Amino acid sequence: MENRSAAALWQSFKSRSQNVPDHYEAWAFGDTEEMADELAELVLAGKKTATSSNYTLYELEQEPLPKVGQHHVLLNGKGEAVAVIMTTAVTVIPYNQVTEEHAFLEGEGDAPLLIGKMCTNRFLRRSLKLTGLPSTLKFRFYANSLKSCIGANSK
């Protein structure tokens, strides 16, 4: 079933932009309503301009990574469209090579502390558990830089 708020935001974005494809994917950050809301708010405030996830899950599910230039409709925890975002860079690296710069761009706090926080992040631990892999700092993940193109309030 189509998400009406995502479709409306996408159409608004398309009407203002050139060379935008008809197809889009709508998704939320994280795996809880609270996490999705918190991270979407950080994007809207301009504080979150990067994200990351467990690359092994993409391999296991044979899902393609986001591509540079690809647009997505970002949803909040209730499944409501809040922004159109664009991927500006994609890198696959071992988790223990996360830079302070990337951690800062994740927008969730002080960069050195965030690296430590990411190591104990419940979402990443749960995703590792799904793969059956041990929880080590050497698992591969992808780092994704993004920018907000339009917010739902600017329709």
Side-chain angles (χ1 to χ4, degrees):
M1 182 158 95
E2 183 178 55
N3 180 313
R4 289 184 184 179
S5 68
L9 184 57
W10 185 252
Q11 288 307 315
S12 176
F13 176 66
K14 280 183 62 171
S15 71
R16 301 173 191 202
S17 307
Q18 296 180 351
N19 302 320
V20 177
D22 290 330
H23 175 76
Y24 64 91
E25 291 185 21
W27 48 267
F29 287 117
D31 59 355
T32 66
E33 184 174 326
E34 295 79 19
M35 186 182 290
D37 285 343
E38 177 186 339
L39 298 178
E41 288 174 20
L42 289 171
V43 168
L44 292 172
K47 294 179 179 178
K48 182 173 184 62
T49 59
T51 192
S52 55
S53 191
N54 184 341
Y55 177 71
T56 306
L57 289 180
Y58 283 81
E59 288 183 313
L60 292 174
E61 296 172 7
Q62 297 181 349
E63 288 283 326
L65 290 177
K67 293 181 175 31
V68 172
Q70 187 175 14
H71 293 84
H72 305 273
V73 175
L74 180 62
L75 305 175
N76 65 16
K78 292 179 178 53
E80 301 162 335
V82 295
V84 173
I85 58 176
M86 182 179 78
T87 300
T88 59
V90 177
T91 308
V92 178
I93 58 173
Y95 189 74
N96 62 351
Q97 293 178 20
V98 175
T99 65
E100 282 192 22
E101 178 186 11
H102 178 81
F104 176 78
L105 295 175
E106 289 260 358
E108 299 174 55
D110 182 63
L113 294 176
L114 181 59
I115 290 175
K117 180 181 173 185
M118 289 171 68
C119 294
T120 59
N121 182 296
R122 290 174 296 147
F123 175 71
L124 290 175
R125 283 191 316 208
R126 285 191 297 265
S127 73
L128 275 174
K129 190 174 182 178
L130 289 173
T131 65
L133 297 173
S135 181
T136 72
L137 296 182
K138 293 185 180 179
F139 79 88
R140 290 188 301 164
F141 86 126
Y142 87 90
N144 183 359
S145 298
L146 51 94
K147 74 174 186 175
S148 181
C149 298
I150 183 175
N153 292 333
S154 48
K155 284 196 257 184

